[in-house]
Amino acid sequence: MGLSEDPDLQHILFGLFLSMYLVTLLGDLLIILAVSSDSHLHTPMYFFLSNLSLADIGFISTMVPKMIVNLLNHSRVISYGGCLTQISVFIIFGCMDDLLLTMMAYDSFVAICHPLHYSVIMNPCLCGFILLLSLLISLLESQLQNLSVLKFFYFKNVEISNFFCDPSQLLNLTCSETFSSTIVKCFVFAIFGFIPISGIFSSY
């Protein structure tokens, strides 16, 4: 449904979201460039920070460019395949953001509480494994969400009360609450909410 149907307001929204998108993109790219170019920053904390910036670029690029094009063209239509792709990429990068923030909290915990063993505990192999595990969990989460939406194949000419294809909005379009969609929502809450927040709190 978009943000507004007012044609005058759409030009303001277009400029606002385009400028915020470009500033965010530039900031994340500068972080990645700074970490990769300076050998002093090749530590686990900055490794996670640069990957967090990369995930952030993917996350905002999932919905904002499409929304900007929609504001420019005065069209709010997305294909079924495009909607599923947007859901998948949104969940992958959103979940990676949460998991990487949790790993950064664990990295800080090890650096403060076990400084003499820090380089042994947070070795490059463990950092690479954590990044790979975050990606795999994010992919699993994304596919579970897509499977729960793909069961309902009758979406045609529907309006989603959001500016992008939100999985929860698509599940709300179904007539009845099924057991499997409830399980998927609980799994999503655990991955996106409970596990990262518990990890961050326990690290402090």
Side-chain angles (χ1 to χ4, degrees), residues 146-159:
N146 266 353
L147 286 174
S148 65
V149 172
L150 279 172
K151 290 188 308 182
F152 312 108
F153 52 86
Y154 49 82
F155 294 125
K156 187 176 180 181
N157 298 327
V158 295
E159 286 187 346

Side-chain angles (χ1 to χ4, degrees), residues 174-202:
T174 61
C175 295
S176 60
E177 183 73 18
T178 61
F179 178 73
S180 59
S181 65
T182 305
I183 293 294
V184 169
K185 285 179 182 177
C186 289
F187 187 71
V188 168
F189 172 73
I191 296 297
F192 274 109
F194 183 72
I195 292 174
I197 290 171
S198 300
I200 291 168
F201 277 140
S202 62

Side-chain angles (χ1 to χ4, degrees), residues 41-188:
L41 300 179
H42 293 173
T43 61
M45 181 182 71
Y46 289 107
F47 171 75
F48 289 129
L49 182 63
S50 61
N51 282 290
L52 184 69
S53 296
L54 193 61
D56 191 43
I57 289 171
F59 186 71
I60 61 167
S61 298
T62 303
M63 64 195 96
V64 177
K66 173 68 176 162
M67 186 179 69
I68 289 171
V69 170
N70 289 352
L71 287 168
L72 193 62
N73 295 338
H74 305 289
S75 169
R76 294 175 299 221
V77 178
I78 189 168
S79 67
Y80 184 65
C83 186
L84 290 178
T85 304
Q86 195 176 61
I87 288 172
S88 296
V89 178
F90 169 76
I91 293 170
I92 288 169
F93 288 117
C95 190
M96 278 196 72
D97 265 352
D98 287 349
L99 295 174
L100 285 172
L101 283 170
T102 308
M103 292 304 109
M104 289 173 76
Y106 175 71
D107 176 65
S108 298
F109 165 76
V110 173
I112 293 167
C113 297
H114 304 285
L116 298 178
H117 301 288
Y118 177 76
S119 58
V120 176
I121 296 171
M122 297 302 294
N123 58 64
C125 291
L126 179 66
C127 294
F129 175 73
I130 287 171
L131 182 64
L132 182 63
L133 187 65
S134 298
L135 180 62
L136 291 175
I137 291 172
S138 302
L139 285 170
L140 174 66
E141 178 86 20
S142 168
Q143 294 313 305
L144 279 174
Q145 287 272 33
N146 266 353
L147 286 174
S148 65
V149 172
L150 279 172
K151 290 188 308 182
F152 312 108
F153 52 86
Y154 49 82
F155 294 125
K156 187 176 180 181
N157 298 327
V158 295
E159 286 187 346
I160 300 168
S161 57
N162 211 326
F163 57 89
F164 75 104
C165 285
D166 187 9
S168 62
Q169 292 290 332
L170 285 178
L171 288 174
N172 288 339
L173 293 173
T174 61
C175 295
S176 60
E177 183 73 18
T178 61
F179 178 73
S180 59
S181 65
T182 305
I183 293 294
V184 169
K185 285 179 182 177
C186 289
F187 187 71
V188 168

